[in-house]
Amino acid sequence: MKSISEILIVVGLFLLFLVLGQAVVLITLALWYGVSVSGDTMQELLNIQKLLQHPDGVWVIFYMQATLAIFGMGISGWVYRAFFASRPLKPIHTKPLTLPATSLMVAIMLCALPAISYLVWLNKQIDLSVISVEFARSVA
């Protein structure tokens, strides 16, 4: 039963710090762009389609993702470890890397790059505007 309570604490902390991270994002965006946090302009600012057309839009999305990741995973994990963890932290037993293992990892990464590039190219070939138009017609 103790493990269920620990899982609930972890999930609760994650959600709490995710909400706090979102509040930090909204407040800092409101201060940077000089808009009201509760106004329609903030809703427009967080509209992803309009945000991608804005010159700083991609950086705003990066900022939002980084802040939410730091709050949701980083800070909540640290708070759990510092205040709620019942078992002491044990170091992970690792072996030192050898030259053959390192060479194998580098070879696998280099062999995977062409496949990744092909998948990126394939993804760019998909025309999503046709799908969204057909979806809009089917809904209407």
Side-chain angles (χ1 to χ4, degrees):
M1 191 57 119
K2 193 171 186 177
S3 63
I4 297 294
S5 63
E6 287 180 354
I7 290 172
L8 291 176
I9 290 172
V10 168
V11 169
L13 284 172
F14 175 76
L15 293 175
L16 172 71
F17 280 98
L18 209 57
V19 169
L20 289 175
Q22 186 67 34
V24 167
V25 166
L26 290 175
I27 290 170
T28 54
L29 287 179
L31 292 175
W32 283 344
Y33 291 101
V35 295
S36 169
V37 175
S38 62
D40 290 334
T41 51
M42 181 55 92
Q43 189 70 359
E44 289 180 15
L45 182 64
L46 293 178
N47 185 349
I48 298 298
Q49 299 252 339
K50 289 185 180 181
L51 202 55
L52 289 173
Q53 296 170 356
H54 191 274
D56 296 332
V58 173
W59 294 108
V60 171
I61 292 173
F62 288 160
Y63 167 72
M64 290 167 55
Q65 288 179 339
T67 304
L68 292 176
I70 289 169
F71 271 80
M73 291 180 280
I75 297 176
S76 67
W78 179 82
V79 168
Y80 173 76
R81 189 77 216 148
F83 298 107
F84 297 104
S86 60
R87 293 182 287 272
L89 187 61
K90 296 178 182 176
I92 299 173
H93 177 69
T94 58
K95 299 177 190 175
L97 287 177
T98 61
L99 184 61
T102 306
S103 301
L104 181 63
M105 285 188 294
V106 170
I108 290 172
M109 287 174 32
L110 290 176
C111 290
L113 285 176
I116 294 170
S117 297
Y118 175 72
L119 289 175
V120 168
W121 175 82
L122 196 61
N123 191 22
K124 286 183 180 180
Q125 302 305 311
I126 299 172
D127 186 16
L128 294 178
S129 63
V130 174
I131 296 171
S132 62
V133 168
E134 291 299 323
F135 177 74
R137 286 182 187 161
S138 67
V139 172

